[in-house]
Amino acid sequence: MCGIVGYVGSRQAAPIMLDGLKRLEYRGYDSAGIVVCSGEGLTLCKTKGYVDHLSDMVCNGDALRGTVGLGHTRWATHGRPSDENAHPHLSDGGKIAVVHNGIIENYAQLREMLVAKGVTFRSETDTEVAVNLISYFYKGDLLKAVAEAALRLEGSYALGILCEDCPDMIVAVRKESPLILGIGRGENFLASDVTALIPHTRDVIYMEDGEIATLTKDEVRVYSRDLVEIKKETARVEWDISAAEKGGYEHFMFKEIMEQPEAIRKTVSPRLRGGRVQIEGLDFTPEYLKSLKKIYLVGCGSAYHVGVVAKYNMEKMLRIPVETALASEFRYSSPLVDERTLVICISQSGETADTIAAMREAKRLGAKVLSIVNVMGSTIANESDYCVYTWAGPEIAVATTKAYSTQLAVTYLLTLYFAELLGVIPDDEYKKLVEALSELPEKVDEILKNKEHIQYLASLYFNKDNIFFIGRNIDYALTLEASLKLKEISYIHSDAYAAGELKHGTISLIEDGTLVIAMASYVRLLEKTISNIVEVRSRGAEILTLTTKSAEAQVSRVSDHVIAIPDAEEMVLPSLAVVPMQLFAYYVALSRGCSIDKPRNLAKSVTVE
Ligand code: AGP
């Protein structure tokens, strides 16, 4: 949700920032801009549209000379996408420039105060308030002015600030929006995400809430809110640049789908030692687990859908009540949470505003929070009591695939880990499931090898206006994800229904030619799902069924087409069943000519409420 880059060094800043913005474009892409500082002041260029457009306007950066700069790619919150509302924003008078990610919640009061003091505003954004507030406090010391302004800004912000009086320095401040400092040699960097830093350096400092930093080409300093210098650790990013590039694939989404076997292997195998699940950093005791009244699984979008699958698996095995909650609902629902509740927060980015708020609320109420997170050093990873990382590597496409799959894998690990501690799983069952988990990468690979079949099915159905997904139990949980994936990137309307629920109203929408995709991998309820398939088929629906190889013949009799996945233990089936649905959404979107990696109106990481 908005990407920020900053550079200070001896090279020309603009081309570096344009490259950084391209890498961050998944965070928001309705407008883009850069500002550079040379001895002659600030030069700015910004425009509505993609970074490529900005790049053309500044001749790939050649037209903007200067070795210090800031760049921004926007996902609009306050003010529609337009040239005026694009960042960077200049203070009235043009001395200070700011790029911003987040929302200034008290912008209306601050704007009124500043207008009363004679400040003129040019955009509809909340950001212009931040830059003018800094300018208001500026009396020759930019760091001090930023600290003063930060005390008065409410909401969330990561800000990069340049001032023409100090052309060799960038100031940065963060609160509830990510900001990472990249440490180079004779040059330093600033970005919302390491993907923009990795071509230049792997040494990074994760800024924390309330911290303010100054960057010059020779040093980076970090201060607390009251300007006491803080000694920060430098972390080393382990993955390399190829992980954040398309590597010959047409889209990041497709690349990430294809990376799933490896991502699952990296997430699972280090945690299966000597045939047992061992998860670093977890020290739960049987007494603590037995004391639990409830486990909550909380997340947004696909991360929430992971929770829905995990609820079925955990409740079945652990016999502890497990609830799922959308993070945006959880925080305002007076949840029944106390020290006898374990809250599991799931988030790829670790920066989703609603999930952060849910985590903080759960902690406030006394619960322990365990997070499942992909991005190292992110807010949720840092603030939760326990963090189990998914090792999916950077996920760039807005539509999540490998993060979803690795999150699922972590929930299986946790289920087995808890079950063993609670003593509720027979040893042979445990061994069978550990084996099923270690076989997952191979089986996902087998499905990917048959992708042409899914491409063929997509070519039959890409013109549909409405698609229904039905399923029972874990298959129902999967329909939620399959339907979201399709909607998100192909813009086809679709609905996910528990198969038994359709006849309580929605079946009235089924008519000749309506496509119903039946998820029927949960063989235990196959007969029931087949009855539901027959009900819609006799009302004219076309049926595409996903099932396991052993049930293929049986479902073929009631389906127009079948996708068969390898047989596997029930618990891990969702990891297999989701892959054809990701491919289906991808190929449908491709046939419709959609912008797959950057679907309209969306952004990868939703850092506002
Ligand atoms: C899924 O394809 C979406 N892009 C979206 O639903 C996403 O899963 C959700 O916004 C949560 O993001 P997070 O995992 O980074 O918290």
Side-chain angles (χ1 to χ4, degrees):
M1 195 134 285
C2 298
I4 290 177
V5 288
Y7 173 78
V8 46
S10 309
R11 295 188 277 162
Q12 288 304 313
I16 295 172
M17 288 185 301
L18 288 168
D19 177 68
L21 290 181
K22 284 295 299 169
R23 293 174 192 279
L24 293 184
E25 212 171 12
Y26 70 89
R27 299 179 65 88
Y29 32 83
D30 56 49
S31 49
I34 48 179
V35 60
V36 292
C37 201
S38 62
E40 286 138 38
L42 303 175
T43 323
L44 178 141
C45 182
K46 57 184 189 170
T47 178
K48 184 179 167 187
Y50 287 164
V51 175
D52 276 344
H53 182 45
L54 173 71
S55 196
D56 289 345
M57 286 172 72
V58 295
C59 309
N60 300 321
D62 288 347
L64 287 184
R65 313 298 290 173
T67 58
V68 181
L70 291 169
H72 188 270
T73 176
R74 178 171 188 245
W75 187 87
T77 56
H78 291 62
R80 75 212 136 85
S82 69
D83 293 355
E84 299 72 41
N85 291 334
H87 299 215
H89 288 282
L90 293 178
S91 58
D92 194 13
K95 194 185 265 295
I96 298 175
V98 155
V99 289
H100 170 216
N101 173 23
I103 290 185
I104 308 296
E105 285 170 1
N106 59 338
Y107 84 102
Q109 298 99 291
L110 291 172
R111 189 177 168 126
E112 205 177 303
M113 179 279 274
L114 289 163
V115 168
K117 299 210 178 289
V119 175
T120 304
F121 283 82
R122 288 171 182 79
S123 77
E124 303 158 299
T125 66
D126 50 339
T127 306
E128 215 185 340
V129 165
V131 68
N132 280 308
L133 193 65
I134 294 169
S135 164
Y136 174 71
F137 286 114
Y138 180 67
K139 307 277 179 287
D141 184 336
L142 185 61
L143 177 64
K144 244 188 184 164
V146 172
E148 289 278 353
L151 287 176
R152 280 135 183 112
L153 294 175
E154 288 169 18
S156 59
Y157 49 83
L159 297 171
I161 305 123
L162 273 182
C163 175
E164 65 179 19
D165 292 348
C166 29
D168 303 326
M169 181 174 77
I170 296 175
V171 177
V173 57
R174 79 151 266 180
K175 182 181 164 238
E176 293 173 21
S177 287
L179 210 46
I180 303 161
L181 310 173
I183 313 301
R185 288 202 184 150
E187 55 184 4
N188 289 304
F189 306 82
L190 172 74
S192 305
D193 186 339
V194 282
T195 44
L197 302 174
I198 204 76
H200 311 287
T201 179
R202 288 184 179 200
D203 296 324
V204 300
I205 292 175
Y206 294 99
M207 286 183 72
E208 278 161 51
D209 274 358
E211 290 180 348
I212 309 176
T214 56
L215 295 88
T216 62
K217 76 184 177 52
D218 298 316
E219 64 177 12
V220 166
R221 288 171 183 262
V222 181
Y223 302 87
S224 64
R225 239 178 228 114
D226 38 7
L227 295 185
V228 177
E229 194 168 348
I230 305 170
K231 188 117 198 67
K232 296 282 287 183
E233 299 259 311
T234 303
R236 182 105 183 130
V237 179
E238 290 306 334
W239 46 268
D240 68 47
I241 182 75
S242 62
E245 293 185 334
K246 281 192 201 154
Y249 288 97
E250 198 182 336
H251 296 103
F252 276 112
M253 183 183 177
F254 192 67
K255 176 182 180 239
E256 289 159 8
I257 290 174
M258 300 305 283
E259 283 172 346
Q260 289 181 107
E262 193 48 25
I264 296 172
R265 187 173 293 118
K266 281 191 178 150
T267 301
V268 167
S269 47
R271 283 137 177 176
L272 293 181
R273 277 172 274 156
R276 307 229 79 81
V277 175
Q278 294 182 42
I279 307 177
E280 69 288 351
L282 296 196
D283 56 3
F284 289 107
T285 60
E287 293 69 39
Y288 168 73
L289 290 174
K290 280 181 187 149
S291 77
L292 290 179
K293 282 191 297 196
K294 188 166 30 176
I295 296 177
Y296 249 117
L297 293 148
V298 182
C300 300
S302 297
Y304 165 76
H305 297 160
V306 169
V308 182
V309 174
K311 172 191 160 69
Y312 282 109
N313 281 330
M314 286 186 175
E315 217 161 44
K316 203 181 297 170
M317 199 175 295
L318 308 180
R319 308 313 297 158
I320 295 176
V322 180
E323 273 194 51
T324 49
L326 290 162
S328 53
E329 289 296 313
F330 178 90
R331 54 186 303 199
Y332 299 119
S333 63
S334 316
L336 291 171
V337 167
D338 58 22
E339 58 290 342
R340 292 179 64 194
T341 317
L342 173 65
V343 175
I344 302 181
C345 288
I346 308 172
S347 175
Q348 187 283 131
S349 61
E351 298 293 350
T352 300
D354 286 319
T355 315
I356 293 175
M359 169 189 67
R360 290 180 180 158
E361 176 67 359
K363 286 182 79 169
R364 193 186 67 79
L365 294 168
K368 288 238 176 296
V369 174
L370 184 160
S371 63
I372 303 174
V373 172
N374 194 43
V375 177
M376 279 197 79
S378 55
T379 304
I380 296 176
N382 285 346
E383 288 188 24
S384 49
D385 298 293
Y386 305 92
C387 174
V388 183
Y389 280 110
T390 48
W391 297 117
E395 191 179 64
I396 311 290
V398 166
T400 180
T401 52
K402 62 176 180 171
Y404 174 92
S405 288
T406 51
Q407 287 163 353
L408 265 188
V410 170
T411 67
Y412 307 148
L413 288 165
L414 287 174
T415 307
L416 285 174
Y417 171 76
F418 292 153
E420 189 182 26
L421 276 177
L422 286 166
V424 293
I425 183 166
D427 210 44
D428 55 338
E429 173 75 1
Y430 183 89
K431 280 195 188 124
K432 231 174 25 186
L433 290 172
V434 164
E435 201 182 320
L437 249 175
S438 43
E439 285 171 0
L440 267 183
E442 236 171 87
K443 291 190 175 176
V444 170
D445 207 31
E446 197 181 320
I447 296 169
L448 292 173
K449 286 200 176 103
N450 286 319
K451 56 185 179 308
E452 282 71 23
H453 176 54
I454 313 292
Q455 187 169 20
Y456 164 70
L457 294 170
S459 75
L460 299 180
Y461 296 124
F462 76 92
N463 264 332
K464 295 282 180 195
D465 294 326
N466 273 306
I467 298 181
F468 290 87
F469 289 86
I470 59 169
R472 286 171 176 266
N473 200 274
I474 46 176
D475 283 325
Y476 165 58
L478 274 168
T479 63
L480 299 172
E481 178 60 8
S483 169
L484 173 64
K485 212 85 306 167
L486 186 76
K487 286 190 268 242
E488 194 172 22
I489 58 168
S490 74
Y491 316 143
I492 296 180
H493 173 261
S494 80
D495 251 331
Y497 263 87
E501 182 63 16
L502 214 59
K503 55 181 160 294
H504 296 285
T506 313
I507 204 163
S508 63
L509 293 170
I510 305 292
E511 52 189 15
D512 274 350
T514 306
L515 178 61
V516 174
I517 301 184
M519 310 282 293
S521 70
Y522 191 63
V523 182
R524 206 195 288 210
L525 291 175
L526 188 63
E527 300 296 341
K528 301 275 175 211
T529 309
I530 287 181
S531 304
N532 301 131
I533 292 174
V534 172
E535 283 161 10
V536 285
R537 201 173 200 217
S538 56
R539 285 160 179 85
E542 279 184 63
I543 309 290
L544 167 59
T545 306
L546 181 144
T547 191
T548 56
K549 288 219 164 100
S550 60
E552 187 175 2
Q554 202 180 343
V555 302
S556 292
R557 291 195 276 278
V558 294
S559 311
D560 295 283
H561 294 279
V562 176
I563 299 169
I565 57 169
D567 290 288
E569 290 297 325
E570 256 170 31
M571 182 179 84
V572 303
L573 270 173
S575 291
L576 305 181
V578 74
V579 178
M581 292 297 103
Q582 297 167 339
L583 286 167
F584 184 76
Y586 174 79
Y587 286 125
V588 166
L590 193 66
S591 305
R592 292 166 71 93
C594 297
S595 168
I596 293 182
D597 285 338
K598 289 180 265 186
R600 72 177 172 219
N601 303 338
L602 288 172
K604 179 77 181 157
S605 143
V606 184
T607 55
V608 294
E609 248 191 84

